[in-house]
Amino acid sequence: MQTVAHILNNKTNQDIYTISPDATVLEALTLMADKGIGALVVTQNSKVVGIISERDYARKVALMERSSYSTSVSEIMTHAVLTVTPQHSTKHCMKLMTDKHLRHLPVVDNDQLTGLVSIGDLVKNVMAEQQSMIDQLQNYISG
């Protein structure tokens, strides 16, 4: 089983997009739309303090008839962020994301944000591992 470090090294886009907890929800939504992403890691003084996703917006702003212009990120972000390290296995991440219904996991090493792993990243990795196994078995069978 591969590690989070392997996934991060193989990602074509390794950019990590962050936002301040004091930013408005509108600023967060604009950044997500501009970058074509579904979540931002919320940082303060280079430390992960939360995560905000499109799901947070839909449930905590739109459905509650709040204003994205005046609501701050800190008001709707998920505060209890689960993180992983580069040494964690992809299997651990899949279990964590499945059990906790997560789509994104910030990767932290020595209290510093080093990446973000999405469920899509993990699925691609599992598919590549399975294809590699199939190729190896076919080569073994055909001699």
Side-chain angles (χ1 to χ4, degrees):
M1 188 62 55
Q2 294 180 354
T3 64
V4 170
H6 177 83
I7 291 175
L8 292 177
N9 289 336
N10 288 327
K11 283 181 77 162
T12 53
N13 182 358
Q14 296 186 14
D15 294 334
I16 309 166
Y17 299 105
T18 63
I19 196 154
S20 165
D22 299 326
T24 66
V25 171
L26 181 64
E27 291 171 300
L29 291 172
T30 301
L31 181 56
M32 284 189 266
D34 288 347
K35 302 302 179 186
I37 56 175
L40 295 167
V41 180
V42 184
T43 58
Q44 191 167 38
N45 300 324
S46 301
K47 303 287 184 220
V48 175
V49 295
I51 192 164
I52 182 171
S53 68
E54 293 167 334
R55 183 187 295 177
D56 291 318
Y57 169 74
R59 293 180 180 175
K60 299 173 188 173
V61 177
L63 287 177
M64 297 181 80
E65 297 181 3
R66 295 167 100 175
S67 169
S68 55
Y69 292 89
S70 60
T71 303
S72 70
V73 166
S74 65
E75 292 178 66
I76 70 161
M77 70 184 189
T78 300
H79 292 269
V81 181
L82 296 175
T83 63
V84 293
T85 67
Q87 295 77 31
H88 275 108
S89 70
T90 54
K91 182 177 181 179
H92 171 79
C93 294
M94 289 289 279
K95 180 168 177 27
L96 188 60
M97 292 175 106
T98 301
D99 291 349
K100 302 293 183 180
H101 306 286
L102 305 173
R103 295 181 185 165
H104 303 90
L105 280 174
V107 181
V108 176
D109 195 18
N110 294 321
D111 289 332
Q112 294 297 312
L113 179 65
T114 59
L116 185 69
V117 177
S118 71
I119 192 70
D121 297 330
L122 292 170
V123 169
K124 286 179 195 173
N125 181 263
V126 168
M127 289 172 50
E129 282 183 345
Q130 289 176 346
Q131 188 60 51
S132 176
M133 177 72 77
I134 290 167
D135 293 345
Q136 289 175 16
L137 290 171
Q138 286 177 333
N139 287 338
Y140 176 77
I141 290 169
S142 60

